[in-house]
Amino acid sequence: MALIVQKFGGTSVGDPEKIKNVAKRVLKKKNEGNQMVVVLSAMSGETNRLTEFALAMQDMPDLREMDVLLSSGEQVTISLFAMAVKALGDDCISFLGDQVKIETDNSYTKARIEGIDSDRITKELDSGKVVVVAGFQGVTETGDITTLGRGGSDTTAVALAAALEADACEIFTDVEGVYTTDPNICDNAIKIDRITYDEMLELASLGAKVLDIRSVTFAKQYNVPVHVRSTFTETEGTWVVAEEKAMEGKIVSGVTYNKNEARITISGVPDQPGIASKIFTPISNADIIVDMIIQNQDTGNGETDMTFTVARTDYQRTLQLLESVVKQTGAKGGIHGSDSITKISIVGVGMRNHSGIASTMFSVLSNEGINISMISTSEIKVSCIIEERYTELAVRALHDAFELGKESVPEEETLS
Ligand code: ADP
Ligand code: ASP
Ligand code: MG
């Protein structure tokens, strides 16, 4: 008997009819002789709706209360799912994060899982029940409710699969797998059959929201093979696995975009030792994650500019924090920034052994008249910050330039 963890995203459980269909799909798998643990997201749009409510109460909602609020979305779907299973004549029990002790740190709204006590789940599985667990939530040592950050139900699923030593972890979503780029904005994107944990980590960290990045970190750490597939078809999806030799072939395997960042510049800061620490220590103390950082060279007058990106949701808070830093450092140019930027990236393990990839990317963007405001590279990726309004244009142009799309059949061939 195999133990299978199946996670269904928001669109898969978007209304009561869809929840009933998911229950049928899960029971089909159970009736093939498997033990089933199911992780659900909130109904699609629900987490956004709750966030709007919070913003109507406070400009910067209290983070602890935000988590009490946001975790309610998943409570709705798991209870309805358990009822749907019972209506189909089988048995099911639902659990919130704290009931199965998904213990996290206390970074509200972006908590990290530190441990799971799987005893209760195992007991219920052994008694023949389907177990359904609320995704995206956990509990601190002191009993406070936390959430794991947007898209966090994927992480709940993979962490549970690791803790239960499950035989498979399937992530069901509204597309048929991981594609060379977002199939919803590029018609000729191709589904990738197998992708390495490392490539998937880069794709996820750079905006391919089909898998939450921390779910891939868990999968890699505990060697959990993850199958990303569609809720609405039976088609085989994408396997996310450890590196296999044959995978080195492709230079660029995907194009991603991330519209969730904001860019901030502090201008005219004195170019002296300790300045970076003065700027970034208060930011990290506030638990704000900084992504790209560029420090310009001293322009000759003993001053420099520091530009960096943070999550768009942290933009206002970071600007506020920096007001006192500007006073303290005497930054003459003040702070400015934009929250309508996109980070566009190309990713591929094959890049390790090839040169000229970054310059091709820059030429493609320049041919489209798109200005690059920041660049960062790693062994297997190149990222550029551009204006948000050029996102779709840039994705399609790069996808074509690196020949990632379906090959179109030349007209002559079709005619002959
Ligand atoms: P769920 O609610 O099931 O968790 P998400 O909306 O979080 O689903 O993730 C699925 C979405 O990810 C797709 O609808 C697609 O628009 C987007 N996406 C972005 N990049 C990719 C990619 N490279 N491959 C597949 N989907 C992608
Ligand atoms: N409901 C949460 C969100 O919308 C978690 C998830 O769906 O994974 O981000
Ligand atoms: Mg998701």
Side-chain angles (χ1 to χ4, degrees), residues 159-176:
L160 273 172
L164 292 161
E165 294 178 21
D167 296 284
C169 181
E170 299 192 291
I171 304 287
F172 287 88
T173 184
D174 57 359
V175 289
E176 289 196 341

Side-chain angles (χ1 to χ4, degrees), residues 158 161 166-170 194 197 219-220 222-228 238-242:
V158 178
D167 296 284
C169 181
E170 299 192 291
R194 293 173 88 75
Y197 291 126
K220 183 180 174 187
Y222 295 98
N223 212 10
V224 180
V226 175
H227 187 190
V228 182
T238 301
W239 281 95
V240 188
V241 292

Side-chain angles (χ1 to χ4, degrees), residues 258-264 309-313 315-316 337-343 371 373 385-391:
N258 181 351
K259 295 183 178 182
N260 297 324
E261 292 196 16
R263 176 174 49 76
I264 296 174
T309 59
V310 293
R312 215 176 267 190
T313 44
Y315 182 54
Q316 292 302 338
S338 165
D339 60 355
S340 52
I341 58 157
T342 292
K343 180 165 69 179
N371 189 47
S373 62
I385 298 290
I386 61 171
E387 277 182 58
E388 184 177 347
R389 62 195 165 115
Y390 294 124
T391 310

Side-chain angles (χ1 to χ4, degrees), residues 41-42 47 74 136 150-154:
S41 292
T47 311
E74 275 71 11
F136 173 58
R150 298 307 302 269
S153 299
D154 298 333

Side-chain angles (χ1 to χ4, degrees), residues 245-294:
K245 258 218 141 35
M247 287 174 154
E248 287 279 3
K250 274 227 138 156
I251 301 173
V252 173
S253 52
V255 178
T256 62
Y257 63 93
N258 181 351
K259 295 183 178 182
N260 297 324
E261 292 196 16
R263 176 174 49 76
I264 296 174
T265 301
I266 308 186
S267 300
V269 276
D271 191 12
Q272 62 199 27
I275 204 72
S277 141
K278 277 197 185 121
I279 294 172
F280 294 112
T281 304
I283 296 177
S284 82
N285 286 348
D287 221 2
I288 293 170
I289 295 167
V290 174
D291 181 21
M292 292 161 88
I293 302 178
I294 293 180

Side-chain angles (χ1 to χ4, degrees), residues 45 64 76 177 182 247 287 303 318 334 345 395:
R64 182 189 180 279
V76 172
D182 186 344
M247 287 174 154
D287 221 2
E303 289 171 1
T318 314
S345 313
V395 167

Side-chain angles (χ1 to χ4, degrees), residues 185-196:
I185 70 165
C186 192
D187 284 346
N188 70 348
I190 295 179
K191 188 172 73 192
I192 302 169
D193 293 333
R194 293 173 88 75
I195 187 166
T196 66

